[in-house]
């Protein structure tokens, strides 16, 4: 009986992996929380993100603004790869886990943005409710495989 259970479990796991290979999940963000900032500072970060996109006119990047003084994203061929969200008590910066494959240039932008901000320590992040990608998210990202060439940005 136990043998059938393990065989069925293994078969289900293979089916999940195969489904992920056929229909990759959207990229999972890896968030980092930072101390809250004022309007001028947020506007400066926003301008830097816009300059990043504008300096790469035909590389597939797009600046998407959800709320002028609260949230913006950078998309790579329609897929979000960087999110900056200003919440009441903190700032949340997220970069998709597949950014190194999909849009490696955004890793430099992330470093520039992070350099200008003061991170929350781990306890502050937990208390603020900053979500952390779980191991399963990271495993599914690995199993989804390579990003197709046509879905990448920054490659001419």
């Amino acid at each position: 009986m136990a043998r059938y259970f393990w065989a069925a479990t293994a078969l289900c796991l293979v089916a999940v992996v195969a489904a992920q290979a056929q229909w990759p999940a959207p990229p999972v963000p890896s968030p980092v929380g930072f101390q809250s900032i004022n309007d001028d500072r947020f506007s400066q970060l926003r301008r830097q993100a816009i300059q990043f996109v504008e300096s790469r006119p035909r590389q597939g990047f797009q600046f998407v603004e959800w709320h002028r003084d609260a949230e913006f994203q950078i998309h790579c061929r329609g897929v979000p790869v960087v999110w900056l969200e200003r919440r009441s008590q903190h700032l949340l910066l997220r970069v998709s886990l597949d950014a190194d494959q999909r849009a490696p240039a955004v890793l430099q932008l992330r470093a520039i943005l992070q350099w200008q901000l003061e991170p929350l320590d781990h306890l502050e992040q937990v208390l603020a409710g900053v979500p952390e990608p779980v191991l399963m998210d990271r495993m599914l990202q690995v199993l989804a495989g390579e990003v197709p060439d046509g879905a990448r940005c920054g490659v001419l």
Side-chain angles (χ1 to χ4, degrees):
M1 182 80 161
R3 192 176 331 159
Y4 294 115
F5 171 77
W6 289 113
T9 302
L11 185 59
C12 287
L13 189 58
V14 168
V16 167
V17 170
Q20 280 296 318
Q22 288 295 91
W23 300 287
V28 178
S30 178
V32 178
F34 295 92
Q35 300 291 330
S36 187
I37 58 176
N38 63 30
D39 291 343
D40 292 336
R41 195 83 178 104
F42 189 82
S43 293
Q44 181 181 8
L45 298 175
R46 181 182 165 278
R47 281 191 305 273
Q48 289 175 341
I50 290 170
Q51 288 172 350
F52 170 85
V53 171
E54 289 175 349
S55 69
R56 294 159 176 82
R58 290 177 296 281
Q59 295 184 15
F61 291 106
Q62 179 186 13
F63 179 83
V64 178
E65 190 162 45
W66 291 99
H67 305 287
R68 180 160 174 83
D69 294 323
E71 182 179 1
F72 62 82
Q73 298 178 357
I74 293 179
H75 290 196
C76 167
R77 305 200 189 284
V79 177
V81 290
V82 174
W83 299 254
L84 189 62
E85 181 182 347
R86 188 171 168 204
R87 296 184 175 179
S88 60
Q89 300 298 316
H90 64 280
L91 192 68
L92 189 61
L93 174 65
R94 302 183 225 188
V95 177
S96 66
L97 291 177
D98 69 348
D100 61 333
Q101 293 178 32
R102 184 176 298 278
V106 299
L107 299 179
Q108 181 183 12
L109 175 64
R110 177 187 62 187
I112 290 169
L113 296 175
Q114 284 181 330
W115 175 76
Q116 301 173 69
L117 301 169
E118 185 178 337
L120 298 174
D121 65 32
H122 183 71
L123 180 59
E124 289 174 316
Q125 289 200 47
V126 169
L127 293 175
V130 174
E132 189 172 321
V134 295
L135 180 59
M136 183 60 126
D137 294 332
R138 292 182 188 278
M139 288 302 297
L140 290 176
Q141 191 66 44
V142 168
L143 294 174
E146 294 287 319
V147 174
D149 287 340
R152 296 175 193 227
C153 291
V155 181
L156 294 177

